[in-house]
Amino acid sequence: MAGYFEKQRFELCALHALNNLFQKQEFTRQELDDVCRNLDPDSFLNAHKSWIPGFGNYDYNVIAVALKSRGYSLNWFDSRRDPSEICTGDDALLGLIANISSNLKIGPVEIPFARRHWVAIRDLKGMETGYYLLDSKLPEPKFIGNKNDLVEFLREWMLDGDKQVMFVLKDDDDISQSSS
């Protein structure tokens, strides 16, 4: 397997989703913890992450601020719309981040206790060209296919209604500055 891929540790799926999306260690746990402290500086138990030190479990706000620090924005995809409307041909699109329901696993045993989990989807060059599901709970990236395959994957994937999909887009200011 070519490409960068982080596997699940603790409750750091948001960190893994971000790094898998950027295809390198772009963010650290310390950096995301700092974002949490900046978002909620006066609280003992931070509302944007796990109360267990070092475990992560970061929320949407942490991901949005982290992406903003790199010149990207996080935009909700309205699940009532058809996935074919996704701007996958847009140069500004880095990929997708999704928050899904996932059962808790302790070693090889899966416990039917639903938790929230962050994953990334993006077009990877250098591997079998196409879109991949970059889920840190999987042993390796899952090949989805071309743009049409991605649309079909998202249509089926979002049927249960328990998935929140977001676009990761390069900020307009950064696009206009780089094209000047």
Side-chain angles (χ1 to χ4, degrees):
M1 177 193 82
Y4 184 86
F5 183 68
E6 288 184 6
K7 292 186 181 179
Q8 187 71 25
R9 287 184 320 113
F10 301 109
E11 292 182 329
L12 297 172
C13 57
L15 174 65
H16 303 314
L18 286 166
N19 288 340
N20 288 338
L21 187 69
F22 279 89
Q23 285 295 283
K24 63 181 180 178
Q25 186 181 354
E26 182 70 25
F27 297 96
T28 64
R29 183 179 67 208
Q30 182 62 51
E31 186 175 2
L32 296 187
D33 285 346
D34 290 344
V35 168
C36 290
R37 277 190 286 286
N38 289 333
L39 287 169
D40 196 6
D42 298 324
S43 70
F44 177 70
L45 294 177
N46 195 291
H48 301 284
K49 68 181 199 116
S50 173
W51 58 270
I52 302 171
F55 266 66
N57 198 19
Y58 304 107
D59 70 9
Y60 167 87
N61 300 295
V62 176
I63 293 173
V65 169
L67 286 167
K68 190 75 171 162
S69 76
R70 301 302 195 273
Y72 289 88
S73 59
L74 195 57
N75 303 291
W76 290 95
F77 176 71
D78 184 346
S79 62
R80 294 171 296 186
R81 293 174 44 201
D82 188 85
S84 64
E85 296 178 38
I86 291 176
C87 54
T88 53
D90 190 336
D91 289 339
L93 181 70
L94 177 61
L96 306 170
I97 286 188
N99 188 258
I100 64 174
S101 182
S102 177
N103 286 337
L104 180 64
K105 279 184 99 175
I106 300 175
V109 178
E110 191 168 303
I111 300 168
F113 177 68
R115 308 261 315 179
R116 302 306 301 173
H117 179 62
W118 294 102
V119 300
I121 297 173
R122 76 164 282 170
D123 188 3
L124 295 180
K125 311 291 188 247
M127 298 177 70
E128 184 175 351
T129 301
Y131 290 89
Y132 284 80
L133 172 63
L134 304 166
D135 181 345
S136 58
K137 287 188 174 183
L138 296 176
E140 61 186 26
K142 178 182 176 187
F143 182 66
I144 296 170
N146 62 26
K147 179 182 175 181
N148 294 331
D149 296 327
L150 173 64
V151 169
E152 286 307 311
F153 172 83
L154 290 173
R155 277 186 187 132
E156 286 188 33
W157 201 52
M158 294 188 324
L159 281 176
D160 69 15
D162 198 20
K163 294 178 177 68
Q164 300 157 353
V165 177
M166 291 146 268
F167 298 103
V168 178
L169 297 167
K170 190 77 174 154
D171 285 339
D172 290 341
D173 293 343
D174 294 325
I175 293 169
S176 61
Q177 288 173 4
S178 65
S179 60
S180 306

